[in-house]
Amino acid sequence: MGDRTGTGDGPGTDRVIRVVVADDQDAVRAGLVLILAGTPGLAVVGEAADGEEAVTLCRRLRPDVALLDVRMPRLDGVSATAEIVAERLADVLVLTTFDLDEYVFGALRAGASGFLLKDTDADGLVDAVRTVARGEGIIAPAVTRRLITAFAAATPTTPAAARTAVADLTPRERDVLACLGLGLSNQQIAERLTMAESTTKTHVSRILGKLGLRSRVQAAILAQELGLPPP
């Protein structure tokens, strides 16, 4: 997303994933920073106590991942997500206390790459940041599938143009889109469809481009709304 440098692919690479952390609770933010800053391959390049500050930092620092609490003063996490994604400043991972919080729905509409519960342990936090940095926004599949299903069951929210554009997808792209709707990662999609993971990433990128969507989570929601059968 955007022309950012220093993106990381996870353990075993020499590239560092740059993260901005935003939470209005000082103790929570300090805990998140402590975990991330102490992890090899990750670097916290900025901290914010509200959404406005988070957007400003992302504009200046161009991090790989913005970790945002959804409930913040001045500018909430949903509005901050919308600005960060629209300007392609970073991939956004939202934090919430409740797994089906209405704020999470808003963040997904705004183009967030994924969400994370605040009671997630340190390993889960690090894995989530690395997952989003790799461009895979589906986090905690068991929970995310439930979220996607609940979200898609509401009044359809995907733009009509995106729903119409599905007809222009190739059969393979439709299969990949259906897999996204199941909450599968790139690796899982590759195994299911018997193709290379790099090919899966290419298909996902093309799908988002053709459908005019901002994240793979939005694509997953569309797949659920359309009721695409699993391949």
Side-chain angles (χ1 to χ4, degrees):
M1 174 170 288
D3 296 323
R4 304 191 309 278
T5 59
T7 54
D9 295 319
T13 72
D14 55 3
R15 291 182 290 175
V16 175
I17 298 170
R18 302 168 69 252
V19 185
V20 162
V21 177
D23 195 301
D24 62 319
Q25 298 180 43
D26 293 343
V28 173
R29 189 173 68 253
L32 294 170
V33 170
L34 182 64
I35 293 169
L36 297 176
T39 301
L42 301 183
V44 176
V45 295
E47 299 179 43
D50 61 63
E52 282 191 12
E53 189 179 1
V55 173
T56 298
L57 283 176
C58 287
R59 285 178 179 144
R60 178 164 58 88
L61 300 171
R62 296 298 181 104
D64 300 298
V65 177
L67 182 62
L68 308 180
D69 182 18
V70 292
R71 301 178 188 237
M72 292 187 290
R74 293 213 295 168
L75 189 69
D76 63 39
V78 175
S79 300
T81 294
E83 291 192 27
I84 291 170
V85 172
E87 296 181 34
R88 301 181 65 82
L89 304 177
D91 290 309
V92 177
L93 175 60
V94 296
L95 286 166
T96 181
T97 305
F98 307 104
D99 58 350
L100 289 180
D101 191 315
E102 63 181 22
Y103 283 83
V104 175
F105 285 178
L108 293 181
R109 292 189 191 100
S113 295
F115 76 98
L116 191 67
L117 300 184
K118 281 194 172 182
D119 60 2
T120 300
D121 61 19
D123 288 342
L125 171 64
V126 170
D127 287 345
V129 169
R130 284 178 171 155
T131 298
V132 168
R134 287 197 304 269
E136 296 187 28
I138 304 299
I139 299 169
V143 179
T144 304
R145 286 173 198 155
R146 181 159 60 93
L147 172 68
I148 291 171
T149 300
F151 189 84
T155 303
T157 56
T158 306
R163 299 167 69 87
T164 302
V166 170
D168 296 328
L169 298 181
T170 67
R172 193 52 138 181
E173 288 169 347
R174 287 178 66 90
D175 286 344
V176 172
L177 179 60
C179 287
L180 290 176
L182 297 176
L184 302 183
S185 66
N186 283 349
Q187 181 179 353
Q188 291 169 327
I189 295 173
E191 293 173 352
R192 188 178 185 114
L193 299 181
T194 318
M195 60 185 180
E197 187 172 349
S198 59
T199 303
T200 300
K201 291 181 180 179
T202 299
H203 280 310
V204 171
S205 179
R206 287 176 178 169
I207 289 168
L208 295 181
K210 286 184 177 182
L211 302 183
L213 300 176
R214 293 174 173 175
S215 75
R216 60 188 286 135
V217 177
Q218 288 184 329
I221 292 166
L222 173 60
Q224 285 278 341
E225 288 178 353
L226 296 177
L228 295 181

